[in-house]
C-alpha cells in the first residue's frame, strides 16, 4: 500500500509540474525563437546556472539593475518594438551596463549600450567636451538599434548579431569559419572555445535576464514582481532647447526639479546644454504639453560655456575676453581665491547677445574676420588671447558684439 501511495504521489508531482511549467516553457521557447535560438538551449547547464542565480544569490542585484533602469525601460522597450527587432535586446543594455548610463569600461566603452568612441561616431553619436551621446538613453538606443540591424543583415541570425555586438564582427566570422558552422550550440562549445568565455556567456546572460523578467510573477512575489511593470506608460520625448542654457532653468519652466531632468539627460558633461548651437534634451512625455506652452528659447539671462585655462592666463584676462567681471567667474565656479592653473576648466557665464562664436574657414584672415564683424583687429585678438595674426582653419573665435 505504501509503495502504491509513493508511486501515486510521484506521478501526481510530475503531473502537477507539467501543468504549471509547460505554459512557461512554451513562453520561454517563444522568447528563444525571436533570437533564432533552438529550444534545446534551455538545457544548457551554464545557462541554467546563470538563470537560477538571478532568482537566488543575485536576486537583489537583479532588482537593483531593474530599479536603476526604470527611468528608461519604457522608452527603450517602445523603440525596440517600433523598430521590429527582438524585445530580448532590451536586456542587452542590462547585460552591457547594468542599466547604468555612466558605466565606463576599461576599454573606454560608455553608456547603456557600451559604445566605443570609434563605433559611436560611425553611428552618429556626438562626443565632445560638452556632450557624450553614448550616455543619452534615447540617442544611444537609436544607434544600438541601427548597429544590431546591420549585424543582422550581415549574419542573418539575431543570436549571431548579439555575439558580434559583444565580441566584434571579425571574431564571430573567424569563429564560424573555425567551427565550420554558425550553430549556437557549436559556437558555445566549452572545450573547443571558438569564442572567448565572455562572449560565450554573453548570450546566455542576455537570455537569462529576459526569461527571468518574462517569468517575474513566478520568480518574484508581491511588490518585487510589481517592479517589472510599474513604469509602463512613462516614456521620454526629445525637444529642442537653446544652447548654453542650464538644465535647472529649463526644468523650472516645465515644473520639474533640476535633478530629475539631469537624470534623464546624463549625456551632458556639465549642468547646461552645449553653447555653440541648440541642443535636444529628454523630458517626460507627460511634460510635453507644458513645454510647448511655456518654454521660450533665450529666457535665461546668461548662456554658459567652458574655458580651458592656458599657460600664462590670468583670471582678469579671461574675464576681459568674455566681457564679464572676474568675480562672476569666481562665483559660478565656487572659487574662494582668484588662483587658476593651466588646463583647469572654468564655467563662464556670458550675458546673452554679448558675443558669439565663429569657426575659421578656408581663405579667412584675422583682418577679414574683424572687418566682417565690424570690430577692431586689436579687439578680436584681445578677446581670443592671440599674440600674433596667425589663425587656422577650424579655429573657433569669440566675436564680441
Amino acid at each position: 500500500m505504501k509503495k502504491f501511495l509513493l508511486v501515486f504521489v510521484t506521478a501526481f508531482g510530475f503531473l502537477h509540474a507539467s501543468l504549471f511549467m509547460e505554459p512557461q516553457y512554451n513562453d520561454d521557447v517563444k522568447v528563444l525563437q525571436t533570437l533564432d535560438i533552438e529550444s534545446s538551449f534551455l538545457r544548457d547547464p551554464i545557462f541554467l546556472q546563470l538563470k537560477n542565480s538571478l532568482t537566488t544569490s543575485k536576486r537583489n542585484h537583479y532588482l537593483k539593475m531593474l530599479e536603476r533602469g526604470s527611468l528608461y525601460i519604457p522608452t527603450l522597450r517602445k523603440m525596440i518594438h517600433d523598430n521590429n527587432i527582438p524585445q530580448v535586446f532590451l536586456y542587452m543594455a542590462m547585460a552591457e551596463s547594468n542599466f547604468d548610463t555612466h558605466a565606463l569600461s576599461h576599454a573606454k566603452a560608455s553608456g547603456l549600450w557600451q559604445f566605443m568612441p570609434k563605433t559611436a561616431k560611425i553611428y552618429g553619436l556626438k562626443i565632445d567636451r560638452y556632450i557624450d551621446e553614448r550616455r543619452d538613453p534615447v540617442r544611444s538606443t537609436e544607434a544600438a538599434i541601427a548597429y544590431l540591424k546591420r549585424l543582422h543583415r550581415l549574419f542573418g541570425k539575431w543570436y549571431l548579431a548579439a555575439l558580434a555586438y559583444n565580441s566584434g564582427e571579425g571574431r564571430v566570422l573567424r569563429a564560424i569559419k573555425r567551427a565550420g558552422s554558425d550553430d549556437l550550440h557549436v559556437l558555445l562549445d566549452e572545450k573547443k572555445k571558438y569564442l572567448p568565455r565572455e562572449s560565450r556567456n554573453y548570450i546566455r546572460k542576455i537570455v537569462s535576464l529576459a526569461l527571468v523578467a518574462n517569468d517575474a510573477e513566478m520568480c518574484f512575489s508581491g511588490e518585487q514582481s510589481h517592479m517589472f511593470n510599474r513604469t509602463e506608460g512613462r516614456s521620454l520625448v526629445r525637444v529642442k532647447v537653446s544652447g548654453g542654457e542650464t538644465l535647472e532653468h529649463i526644468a523650472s519652466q516645465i515644473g520639474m526639479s533640476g535633478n530629475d531632468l539631469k537624470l534623464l539627460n546624463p549625456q551632458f558633461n556639465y549642468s547646461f546644454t552645449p553653447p555653440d548651437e541648440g541642443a535636444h534634451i529628454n523630458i517626460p512625455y507627460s511634460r510635453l504639453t507644458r513645454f510647448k506652452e511655456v518654454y521660450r528659447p533665450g529666457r535665461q539671462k546668461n548662456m554658459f560655456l567652458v574655458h580651458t585655462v592656458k599657460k600664462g592666463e590670468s583670471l582678469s584676462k579671461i574675464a576681459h575676453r568674455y566681457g564679464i567681471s572676474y568675480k562672476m567667474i569666481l562665483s559660478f565656479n565656487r572659487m574662494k581665491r582668484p588662483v587658476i592653473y593651466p588646463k583647469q576648466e572654468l564655467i563662464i557665464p556670458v550675458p546673452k547677445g554679448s558675443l558669439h562664436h565663429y569657426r575659421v574657414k578656408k581663405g579667412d584672415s584675422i583682418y577679414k574676420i574683424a572687418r566682417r564683424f565690424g570690430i577692431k583687429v586689436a579687439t578680436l585678438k584681445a578677446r581670443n588671447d592671440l599674440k600674433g595674426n596667425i589663425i587656422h582653419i577650424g579655429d573657433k573665435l569669440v566675436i564680441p558684439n
Side-chain angles (χ1 to χ4, degrees), residues 133-171:
E133 289 188 326
R134 294 178 296 170
R135 299 196 302 260
D136 185 323
V138 176
R139 288 286 294 121
S140 66
T141 301
E142 289 174 346
I145 289 170
Y147 189 19
L148 285 166
K149 282 185 171 182
R150 192 184 75 76
L151 291 172
H152 184 251
R153 288 193 298 271
L154 176 64
F155 290 100
K157 294 178 181 176
W158 282 115
Y159 68 78
L160 292 174
L163 288 170
Y165 188 100
N166 174 257
S167 62
E169 302 160 32
R171 182 168 282 171

Side-chain angles (χ1 to χ4, degrees), residues 71-72 101-102 135 137 236 247 256-267 282:
L71 286 172
Y72 319 115
T101 54
H102 286 278
R135 299 196 302 260
L236 304 178
L247 296 180
M256 289 183 68
S257 75
N259 286 336
D260 285 346
L261 191 59
K262 287 175 187 176
L263 284 174
L264 301 181
N265 293 277
Q267 67 272 23
N282 305 311

Side-chain angles (χ1 to χ4, degrees), residues 360-375:
V360 178
K361 301 179 178 64
K362 186 177 180 180
D364 278 338
S365 70
I366 197 77
Y367 301 101
K368 287 181 180 178
I369 295 172
R371 188 163 55 249
R372 180 180 304 165
F373 291 101
I375 58 176

Side-chain angles (χ1 to χ4, degrees), residues 41 46-47 51 106 114 169 199 279 302 329 348 359:
F41 183 83
I46 299 176
F47 157 74
K51 183 172 180 285
H106 293 299
Q114 289 292 280
E169 302 160 32
S199 299
N302 298 314
I329 300 177
I348 309 294
R359 195 170 293 278

Side-chain angles (χ1 to χ4, degrees), residues 271-395:
S271 58
F272 52 86
T273 59
D276 293 348
E277 54 192 32
H280 284 88
I281 66 168
N282 305 311
I283 65 171
Y285 183 80
S286 60
R287 301 283 172 175
L288 181 59
T289 300
R290 179 161 182 174
F291 176 87
K292 290 179 178 178
E293 290 174 349
V294 304
Y295 178 77
R296 295 294 179 272
R299 280 189 176 178
Q300 190 172 273
K301 290 182 179 179
N302 298 314
M303 74 171 237
F304 294 82
L305 50 84
V306 174
H307 176 88
T308 302
V309 178
K310 300 182 182 69
K311 187 176 180 179
E313 283 189 322
S314 66
L315 204 60
S316 59
K317 183 183 286 188
I318 295 169
H320 174 71
R321 177 180 178 182
Y322 295 103
I324 61 174
S325 162
Y326 80 92
K327 291 182 179 179
M328 288 183 70
I329 300 177
L330 286 175
S331 174
F332 277 91
N333 289 274
R334 298 179 181 176
M335 298 165 62
K336 294 181 180 178
R337 297 183 301 158
V339 178
I340 58 175
Y341 51 86
K343 297 184 179 180
Q344 180 180 359
E345 292 188 337
L346 299 173
I347 296 174
I348 309 294
V350 182
K352 289 208 177 235
S354 65
L355 56 80
H356 66 277
H357 290 88
Y358 176 79
R359 195 170 293 278
V360 178
K361 301 179 178 64
K362 186 177 180 180
D364 278 338
S365 70
I366 197 77
Y367 301 101
K368 287 181 180 178
I369 295 172
R371 188 163 55 249
R372 180 180 304 165
F373 291 101
I375 58 176
K376 294 180 180 180
V377 171
T379 302
L380 183 59
K381 289 169 66 175
R383 286 295 177 93
N384 289 277
D385 195 27
L386 294 173
K387 292 181 172 59
N389 297 327
I390 298 174
I391 54 176
H392 303 90
I393 295 172
D395 285 352

